[in-house]
Amino acid sequence: MIVARGLTKTYGPRTAVDHLSFTVEPGRVTGFLGPNGAGKSTTMRMILGLDRPTSGSVTVNGRSYAASPAPLREVGALLEARALHPGRSARDHLRWLAASNGIPRTRIDEVLDLVGLEAVAEQRVGRFSLGMGQRLGIAVALLGDPPVVVLDEPVNGLDPEGIRWVRNLARELAGQGRTVLVSSHLMSEMALTADHLIVVGRGRMLADCSMADFITEHASSYVRVRSPRVSDAEALLRGQGLDVDRLDDQLRVRGRNAAEIGELLGGAGLYVHELALVQSSLEDAFMTLTADSVEYATHPAETAGAVR
Amino acid sequence: MSATPTVSTAPARPGTGSSSAADVVRLDPNRHVPGVRQPGFAQVLHAEWVKFWTVRSTRWSLGLLFLLGAGLTTLVCWAAASDLAAGDTGEAPAAFLTWGLLFSQLTALALGTLVVTSEYGTGMIRATVTAVPRRGRVVAAKAVVLTVVLFVAGVVTAVAGYLGGNWFLDREGVGLALSDDGVLRALLGNGLYLAGLGVFALATGLLIRHTAAALTVGMALVLVVGNVAYALPGTWGEWVAKLLPGNAGGAVAQVAPFNGGAVLAPWTGFGVFAAEVAALLLVAVLVFRRRDA
Ligand SMILES: Nc1ncnc2c1ncn2[C@@H]1O[C@H](COP(=O)(O)OP(=O)(O)OP(=O)(O)O)[C@@H](O)[C@H]1O
Ligand SMILES: [Mg+2]
């Protein structure tokens, strides 16, 4: 269990993490979401005692990370930036880590096997691909068989098979009763992995709820209606107290399902050319939620053509 | 694509078999990998020892240390032996028996610096501090590893240099026996001085965090500033020069000093040097503990 209370970190004039309070419960995967620069990695570094909070506190299993006698047995972490010497072999990297926390050497082969790096264990990690480095990072996280696992962008650089592997691993770890915190800025990936969501933007908490609640609350759906007599249809539906938006010759109706809307229109003798349920994706929901807190927005030209 | 959260189907490990699925599964307390439950300084030391020997720069630096230290001493003694015997150099032959130290000390500085700056350069420091959040322990372990290795390397190098160099001096009849004044002390002193330099560099590395900058500062302090300080006027200037780390610590490692600047007596000097190194290390630890990794 990870508990943050009023966690704040400022770097000079810039507030990277702004009074975050949350609890990461065991037994489920908690997704930590936010656009670039939202403060996810900073929060994770504070959880691990790497960065000192400007104010507030964060504890892991009831005490600060640094107070743990053998932290690798308590918390396993994959950090965003590579945290290894390129000249050392994967096995040697795991060797010193194991030694530092009194973990037997046999465990090294176990985790190498688990992440599928046995064959390249003696190679210098400087030669590793992004994905291999990521796998080694996960091996490091699991070395002490910790009850709490913190993964910062674990699927970064992984191929589809690797992405699925991480997803299943995270779910399996949570299934065993561990506390699992996984950060990402990919809502679509989180939708498949996480049970619970913590969404931040510009260091502030935007949402802290279950995935199901998030969907009901933020992933809106509507019924698209096209009719040759669009104004009449609009008036009729509004008359029924429904929430109607008009875009050119198209109506977006909320509050009833497609069948009911079709019957209403049919009952009034209005022809319907299109009647479709449109479910906005979680991706859209996330975009809407974080729209105001995106710091590094792309220019429209880069995304033009994608949606029209 | 289903976005509804699903209950994990992953099988819990034996002993956790709570069949009321959806809820939190208790983590099997016997799940833990065996090993030391409460690792202490010994484990940190072991980790630093493994780290030290599993990068190439260690072997390179130590090889270079030996080559420069023992090799140059031998070479210079060979070249200067006859002049020394004739008394043309104005220096005591004893001063030449540790001639290579002038260069081998650079490799000790490099080794000490790299032990920490390479971690900052690669991001390794974050792994180090997550594995051992007690940062003072990390520094202490690094210092012990450096001290032991550089002491041994320094003594071995000095003995080899003595054997090689003295062989040429002996041929000209100006050699020194091990039992002669200061010889044994200097051989041991080489180890002590290099170990001290390594720890000194470790501290500067911790404070500066960048390899090139830390190396430059370390070398400048020990070599350049140490020599330039002799140009300072008056007894005040002389004292400053004598107390600078390179000058204070170097004396213990030389059988006899070269002519030129005044130096403290060997053991006094080493005491001053050790105190300086300890003070710098303390500052470095305090800063390191406060800083974000
Ligand atoms: N060491 C630092 N010094 C100064 N500013 C920093 C430092 N670390 C992070 N920041 C700033 O803090 C903010 C949060 O950064 P952080 O890396 O935590 O974001 P993030 O959510 O992990 O983003 P991403 O999705 O891109 O990984 C950013 O604006 C960043 O520029
Ligand atoms: Mg990040």
Side-chain angles (χ1 to χ4, degrees):
Chain A
M1 187 147 97
I2 303 171
V3 179
R5 288 290 165 257
L7 198 58
T8 303
K9 179 75 190 181
T10 56
Y11 294 106
R14 129 168 263 152
T15 304
V17 174
D18 198 354
H19 292 91
L20 283 190
S21 296
F22 58 84
T23 302
V24 185
E25 303 273 1
R28 66 189 190 194
V29 178
T30 301
F32 195 21
L33 276 166
N36 289 132
K40 305 181 295 293
S41 300
T42 305
T43 304
M44 289 180 157
R45 283 202 305 274
M46 287 192 282
I47 294 173
L48 300 170
L50 288 170
D51 283 17
R52 183 188 285 260
T54 308
S55 66
S57 66
V58 58
T59 58
V60 183
N61 291 337
R63 60 182 166 204
S64 80
Y65 181 89
S68 173
L72 296 186
R73 292 172 177 279
E74 193 98 34
V75 185
L78 168 73
L79 294 166
E80 177 179 40
R82 275 201 182 190
L84 32 84
H85 193 294
R88 211 171 261 125
S89 73
R91 183 183 300 281
D92 285 339
H93 185 61
L94 290 166
R95 256 178 69 210
W96 78 257
L97 280 163
S100 72
N101 276 240
I103 296 164
R105 290 176 73 155
T106 50
R107 178 67 184 163
I108 295 171
D109 290 309
E110 278 176 42
V111 289
L112 280 170
D113 190 54
L114 190 73
V115 302
L117 286 180
E118 328 84 313
V120 291
E122 318 303 331
Q123 266 183 39
R124 306 205 288 141
V125 298
R127 302 223 185 90
F128 277 18
S129 69
L130 195 55
M132 286 157 82
Q134 219 52 355
R135 281 167 190 268
L136 177 58
I138 290 172
V140 170
L142 298 179
L143 190 62
D145 197 15
V148 178
V149 180
V150 173
L151 307 174
D152 198 359
E153 316 257 358
V155 300
N156 194 4
L158 291 182
D159 53 20
E161 192 270 328
I163 292 178
R164 178 180 301 187
W165 172 73
V166 169
R167 188 188 302 151
N168 291 339
L169 179 76
R171 300 210 56 83
E172 190 181 321
L173 292 171
Q176 290 161 355
R178 297 177 213 246
T179 305
V180 184
L181 181 65
V182 183
S183 88
S184 177
H185 35 233
L186 300 178
M187 182 69 216
S188 49
E189 173 54 33
M190 271 303 126
L192 297 175
T193 315
D195 309 308
H196 194 89
L197 282 184
I198 293 172
V199 186
V200 289
R202 288 189 192 246
R204 296 215 185 88
M205 181 72 79
L206 297 179
D208 181 358
C209 58
S210 73
M211 180 64 83
D213 286 352
F214 188 82
I215 293 166
T216 10
E217 201 162 319
H218 298 288
S220 63
S221 60
Y222 59 89
V223 176
R224 188 166 60 216
V225 178
R226 277 183 214 270
S227 166
R229 288 164 58 191
V230 65
S231 301
D232 293 342
E234 185 183 356
L236 172 78
L237 293 171
R238 277 195 203 283
Q240 295 289 320
L242 300 183
D243 176 6
V244 183
D245 285 332
R246 174 154 177 196
L247 281 100
D248 304 331
D249 65 335
Q250 181 196 113
L251 299 177
R252 296 185 166 184
V253 189
R254 291 184 188 79
R256 292 282 175 85
N257 65 32
E260 290 168 342
I261 293 168
E263 281 165 19
L264 272 172
L265 295 171
L270 291 168
Y271 287 114
V272 171
H273 287 177
E274 186 183 348
L275 190 65
L277 174 70
V278 179
Q279 177 94 47
S280 83
S281 69
L282 280 178
E283 190 87 39
D284 293 337
F286 174 64
M287 296 291 226
T288 320
L289 183 63
T290 58
D292 296 337
S293 47
V294 171
E295 277 179 275
Y296 310 104
T298 50
H299 296 289
E302 291 175 38
T303 50
V307 200
R308 268 291 146 87
Chain B
M1 181 186 95
S2 154
T4 31
T6 50
V7 175
S8 171
T9 50
R13 294 195 182 181
T16 60
S18 128
S19 50
S20 59
D23 269 326
V24 174
V25 186
R26 283 239 160 267
L27 204 52
D28 177 9
N30 298 321
R31 146 200 66 89
H32 282 302
V33 288
V36 186
R37 284 268 84 89
Q38 294 259 349
F41 186 67
Q43 276 69 33
V44 182
L45 195 58
H46 183 193
E48 288 299 331
W49 184 259
V50 173
K51 265 197 221 171
F52 185 79
W53 290 109
T54 48
V55 286
R56 289 185 180 180
S57 60
T58 299
R59 280 157 219 276
W60 272 104
S61 305
L62 289 176
L64 214 56
L65 189 151
F66 183 80
L67 256 143
L68 291 173
L72 284 181
T73 298
T74 309
L75 216 63
V76 167
C77 285
W78 165 72
S82 55
D83 285 350
L84 282 169
D88 289 348
T89 59
E91 300 274 1
F96 280 71
L97 283 175
T98 52
W99 199 91
L101 184 66
L102 197 60
F103 291 92
S104 60
Q105 63 183 355
L106 296 181
T107 58
L109 279 173
L111 203 56
T113 307
L114 280 174
V115 158
V116 28
T117 56
S118 77
E119 292 208 9
Y120 274 106
T122 57
M124 250 277 286
I125 191 73
R126 286 188 288 267
T128 298
V129 174
T130 33
V132 186
R134 300 188 179 190
R135 301 186 185 187
R137 274 193 189 176
V138 173
V139 180
K142 282 184 188 298
V144 170
V145 170
L146 274 173
T147 305
V148 170
V149 171
L150 281 173
F151 176 75
V152 172
V155 173
V156 168
T157 302
V159 169
Y162 164 78
L163 293 176
N166 205 44
W167 189 78
F168 290 108
L169 297 188
D170 265 342
R171 279 207 320 195
E172 302 290 338
V174 289
L176 278 86
L178 263 182
S179 54
D180 279 341
D181 215 23
V183 174
L184 265 181
R185 191 235 334 117
L187 299 186
L188 274 180
N190 253 275
L192 290 173
Y193 177 54
L194 292 188
L197 275 184
V199 178
F200 176 83
L202 168 75
T204 36
L206 264 180
L207 289 168
I208 298 173
R209 293 182 284 181
H210 296 282
T211 305
L215 267 179
T216 311
V217 169
M219 290 184 182
L221 258 175
V222 172
L223 302 176
V224 184
V225 179
N227 277 320
V228 170
Y230 282 116
L232 290 174
T235 45
W236 175 83
E238 191 183 304
W239 270 105
V240 170
K242 278 203 277 195
L243 292 177
L244 278 169
N247 300 339
V252 79
Q254 291 171 303
V255 182
F258 283 99
N259 295 334
V263 288
L264 297 169
W267 289 114
T268 319
F270 184 72
V272 170
F273 175 62
E276 286 167 349
V277 170
L280 192 65
L281 189 65
L282 184 70
V283 171
V285 169
L286 293 178
V287 170
F288 179 47
R289 279 170 52 170
R290 290 197 56 83
R291 231 169 6 203
D292 290 341

